[in-house]
Amino acid sequence: MKFPKKTWNPVWIIIGLMVVLVIAMQFLFSYERSILGVPPDDAPYRQTEQTTEARVSDLLARMTLEEKIGQMALVEKNSVHDIDDIATYGIGAMLSGAGAKPAMNTVTGWRDMVAEFVAVSRTSRLGIPVLYGADAIHGHSNVPGATIFPHAIGLGASGDELLVEHIARVTAKELAATGIYWTYSPNLDLPQDIRWGRTYETFSDDPVLAAKLGAAFVRGTEQPFSNATGSAFVISTPKHFIGAGGMVWGSSSNNDFYIDQGTTPPDETLLRDVYLPPFKAAVDAGAGSLMVGLNSWGEEKLSANHYLITDVLKGELGFTGFVVSDWYGVYEIPGGNYEAAITAINAGIDVVMLPFEYKEFITNVSRAVKLGRIDEARIDDAVRRILTAKFELGLFDMPPNTELPTVGSNEDRVLAREAVAKSLVLLKDDANVLPIQTDVTHIRVAGSAADNVGLQSGAWTIEWQGIDGNWLPGSTSILKGIQDRALEGVRVEYNILGTFEAGEKADLGIAIVGEKPYAEGWGDSALPTLSKEDTQAIAKLKASSKKLLVIIVSGRPLIITDDIASWDAVVAAWLPGTEGGGVADVLYGDVPFTGKLPLPWPRSVSQLPVLPNGNTADGTTLLFPRYAGLK
Ligand code: BGC
């Protein structure tokens, strides 16, 4: 008998081969995962229904010493030359130092850059997401198109905690729209000396006001909101713990600076009575992280101070978040990088803003642990704090950020404009210049800050040291705001130098003058005052106007004692940001003046430092005391 010849259907053969291939690949994949030690999909730390504590404990128990130390490293994004290092070394956190931007500096450019770092971090053995941080100092201020709010000193002048909470919330949403869930704000330093280049980053020299607004900022930042990834929030970083703002002029440890990164006198009563309350308020408000300053307390750099970081902050104040050191701050501790890292971690620093050499850091710290110089329990405590934050933020469970970024919405700009109006302080109005009346039909405007959004925004705007000009999308210069608001038929002339045609005087001259942007110690100045160009512009404007209003756009009170007598009206506008229209709102009386000086305005530098109780160094009276401000 002949059997019919069996023919194999090629389709079945292909299907069969594919099934075998898939099974083999799965086997190889799980084999590879198991030799690489990749925990299974059902590992407790991967389960959203587990408590944060359970997830942290499970993950921590699976980590090697090196992986733990990697989590403690905070690396500047441009220091990562091979992007795979993020996974290879299990880098815990990254930042855009000094506003370091993506190749394409747009909102989507930021979102894509951060998303790529996060995606790479998730390919590590344990898949721990990297935490990305940015200095959203006054809005998400590195990103063109974001709403730039007044710098903190202007918010201090407003004294309005609801406003501050609202601004922090909007900023958090704009950060999250670019995939960033960690901001290095608010600044709770208390500036006693206006020669310090960081005065404007602070709310006030008054601990009570700084505490009130600082806590509001923390609440606004950390309050959950819903977005495309579900519910999200951003971790705030009150800084710079502690005593910053009280450094002595000339004591800077940085040869390029005078007071920034200097020495705060080691007076514990002063530290506790004045500098601690804002941080206590921020901790009580639930701050997720806290940054230690680059200043010294007496002889010792803050990052080395076990008593203040561990005993006072973590112990007495009960801070359960993580403590991050400032830029290269750990390596400012004498003794070389190895000893410095040991000292700082033992002092209680949990995350080290290296911000460059992560490989050396991991090697050094793991050696120190193996030699018993750092107890592994200290490392576990640090990593537990870091992982807790990452789980609470939802970073492990977040789908890739697919949300279309929305920054700089109209609503946010309206809020910023309101903040500008509330931050203005009327210091003098002897000739009833304000509000501007309808019989004022000819206005002349002059000065370096009149038509320059870069200048009115100050530093930490796109660039660390700020920008020049009017090129930020959707922004309004103070001049433009005045032009937009002036009634029909009113002639508004502008010349930066105050050069106008001879002839009839204008009804009102408005000099809008101020400081060029500066950040950190680069703004330390032995004599903060107006530039020669601005002083000359004021003089020329005065000669060609019946009345003179001077608007000072600056990060701090300027020494104007010799000039102010000849000005009819003076407004301190601080650094208002992109919504210059808010200034016109108040000049025209649409919104009343409500701002008050958030810090004393000295007559001369010999009055510095001004003590928290308002006493000047030379015992003379201030030009204006703290909280001065006319209505
Ligand atoms: C500043 C910090 C800032 C950090 C990161 C440092 O130079 O002191 O305030 O958060 O840089 O940019």
Side-chain angles (χ1 to χ4, degrees):
M1 194 179 154
K2 260 187 147 187
F3 291 101
K5 197 168 166 205
K6 187 148 190 184
T7 52
W8 292 94
N9 184 336
V11 174
W12 288 113
I13 295 176
I14 291 169
I15 290 175
L17 283 174
M18 280 173 66
V19 170
V20 171
L21 197 68
V22 168
I23 294 171
M25 275 174 62
Q26 267 183 349
F27 173 77
L28 280 175
F29 183 61
S30 61
Y31 178 68
E32 192 200 355
R33 276 172 56 128
S34 73
I35 19 178
L36 289 177
V38 176
D41 289 342
D42 62 357
Y45 83 90
R46 297 195 198 271
Q47 311 309 315
T48 47
E49 63 279 3
Q50 294 276 352
T51 62
T52 296
E53 218 186 320
R55 295 177 83 180
V56 170
S57 299
D58 177 60
L59 180 51
L60 196 58
R62 295 172 190 274
M63 294 172 80
T64 64
L65 177 62
E66 283 71 19
E67 282 167 334
K68 291 176 188 173
I69 299 165
Q71 285 302 304
M72 297 171 70
L74 171 55
V75 183
E76 206 288 312
K77 73 153 183 101
N78 290 331
S79 306
V80 179
H81 300 301
D82 176 356
I83 194 166
D84 289 331
D85 277 2
I86 301 171
T88 312
Y89 295 94
I91 291 171
M94 290 171 72
L95 84 151
S96 277
K101 21 188 176 303
M104 194 177 63
N105 194 12
T106 60
V107 177
T108 36
W110 276 85
R111 186 197 55 178
D112 295 347
M113 172 185 80
V114 177
E116 190 183 6
F117 294 146
V118 173
V120 174
S121 69
R122 305 236 48 186
T123 64
S124 68
R125 182 179 80 89
L126 298 166
I128 306 175
V130 71
L131 177 63
Y132 203 88
D135 287 285
I137 301 288
H138 53 148
H140 193 356
S141 50
N142 295 311
V143 184
T147 314
I148 308 290
F149 292 95
H151 266 293
I153 196 76
L155 303 183
S158 81
D160 187 334
E161 58 187 311
L162 280 181
L163 176 77
V164 169
E165 187 171 335
H166 198 168
I167 287 174
R169 190 167 164 73
V170 165
T171 305
K173 282 187 183 174
E174 294 201 359
L175 279 161
T178 54
I180 299 176
Y181 297 93
W182 188 25
T183 175
Y184 307 132
S185 270
N187 184 319
L188 301 183
D189 303 339
L190 303 171
Q192 292 183 13
D193 192 324
I194 58 158
R195 290 173 291 187
W196 187 31
R198 305 194 77 160
T199 302
Y200 64 89
E201 287 185 52
T202 73
F203 292 117
S204 171
D205 71 323
D206 176 2
V208 177
L209 182 58
K212 182 174 92 167
L213 300 185
F217 196 98
V218 169
R219 283 196 303 273
T221 307
E222 306 221 4
Q223 197 179 83
F225 54 86
S226 51
N227 68 0
T229 60
S231 165
F233 71 97
V234 169
I235 286 186
S236 64
T237 313
K239 64 186 188 184
H240 305 84
F241 187 80
I242 183 175
M247 296 86 62
V248 175
W249 176 257
S251 70
S252 180
S253 57
N254 183 322
N255 288 337
D256 291 318
F257 304 160
Y258 298 97
I259 184 167
D260 191 41
Q261 303 179 14
T263 299
T264 309
D267 172 345
E268 188 162 347
T269 311
L270 180 78
L271 205 73
R272 284 182 175 276
D273 292 354
V274 176
Y275 290 96
L276 199 57
F279 287 102
K280 179 172 185 335
V283 169
D284 291 346
S289 74
L290 204 136
M291 191 186 291
V292 168
L294 294 171
N295 53 318
S296 304
W297 190 49
E299 294 297 300
E300 196 169 44
K301 281 284 174 192
L302 253 302
S303 321
N305 198 309
H306 180 276
Y307 171 64
L308 292 175
I309 301 172
T310 297
D311 299 348
V312 176
L313 176 61
K314 291 181 174 174
E316 278 178 46
L317 299 193
F319 178 62
T320 53
F322 62 88
V323 176
V324 58
S325 58
D326 199 351
W327 186 268
Y328 205 72
V330 162
Y331 295 145
E332 303 272 328
I333 301 170
N337 289 3
Y338 177 68
E339 289 299 328
I342 295 173
T343 307
I345 292 170
N346 283 336
I349 299 284
D350 301 309
V351 172
V352 180
M353 197 190 296
L354 292 164
F356 314 115
E357 283 297 331
Y358 43 92
K359 296 179 199 173
E360 178 207 66
F361 172 74
I362 295 172
T363 314
N364 278 348
V365 178
S366 76
R367 187 173 137 224
V369 174
K370 283 169 192 151
L371 292 175
R373 300 284 311 278
I374 303 174
D375 197 338
E376 192 161 352
R378 172 72 271 274
I379 302 288
D380 285 352
D381 168 52
V383 178
R384 190 173 278 284
R385 289 167 183 265
I386 297 160
L387 294 178
T388 300
K390 290 186 176 186
F391 279 113
E392 280 177 355
L393 277 173
L395 295 187
F396 282 83
D397 315 314
M398 240 175 227
N401 196 352
T402 48
E403 189 181 18
L404 268 188
T406 46
V407 305
S409 71
N410 275 342
E411 203 188 331
D412 298 353
R413 288 183 187 279
V414 168
L415 176 67
R417 184 166 173 161
E418 178 193 333
V420 173
K422 286 184 166 170
S423 69
L424 301 187
V425 181
L426 181 59
L427 292 173
K428 174 178 177 180
D429 189 9
D430 286 353
N432 289 330
V433 172
L434 296 170
I436 299 172
Q437 303 295 322
T438 45
D439 59 356
V440 173
T441 57
H442 184 193
I443 296 175
R444 281 179 171 151
V445 180
S448 64
D451 194 25
N452 194 328
V453 170
L455 207 140
Q456 78 193 31
S457 298
W460 301 99
T461 306
I462 315 300
E463 302 288 343
W464 181 41
Q465 297 293 330
I467 56 165
D468 188 27
N470 286 335
W471 50 270
L472 284 184
S475 62
T476 308
S477 73
I478 299 175
L479 171 70
K480 177 80 177 30
I482 294 172
Q483 287 166 333
D484 289 350
R485 177 58 181 77
L487 298 174
E488 236 183 71
V490 172
R491 193 166 149 219
V492 181
E493 287 183 277
Y494 164 65
N495 181 279
I496 189 168
L497 300 173
T499 311
F500 297 99
E501 254 174 52
E504 211 187 318
K505 289 186 173 186
D507 298 320
L508 177 62
I510 307 180
I512 308 174
V513 292
E515 294 185 296
K516 289 208 171 82
Y518 50 78
E520 302 190 30
W522 300 110
D524 288 354
S525 163
L527 179 61
T529 188
L530 292 174
S531 69
K532 212 163 156 198
E533 293 75 29
D534 272 344
T535 313
Q536 283 168 355
I538 294 174
K540 285 163 82 178
L541 187 63
K542 184 174 164 62
S544 70
S545 312
K546 292 177 198 154
K547 288 182 181 178
L548 175 69
L549 161 66
V550 176
I551 300 178
I552 300 176
V553 176
S554 65
R556 53 187 154 198
L558 300 180
I559 303 301
I560 51 169
T561 316
D562 294 340
D563 307 301
I564 190 170
S566 64
W567 305 342
D568 297 308
V570 185
V571 171
W574 315 109
L575 298 167
T578 51
E579 307 314 304
V583 176
D585 291 341
V586 185
L587 298 186
Y588 277 91
D590 302 339
V591 179
F593 276 102
T594 50
K596 302 280 176 230
L597 278 188
L599 74 176
W601 196 296
R603 251 173 225 287
S604 69
V605 291
S606 55
Q607 295 187 319
L608 301 171
V610 181
L611 296 182
N613 63 9
N615 287 349
T616 56
D618 64 5
T620 56
T621 56
L622 292 156
L623 190 60
F624 299 104
R626 190 203 289 135
Y627 297 128
L630 305 170
K631 294 218 168 178

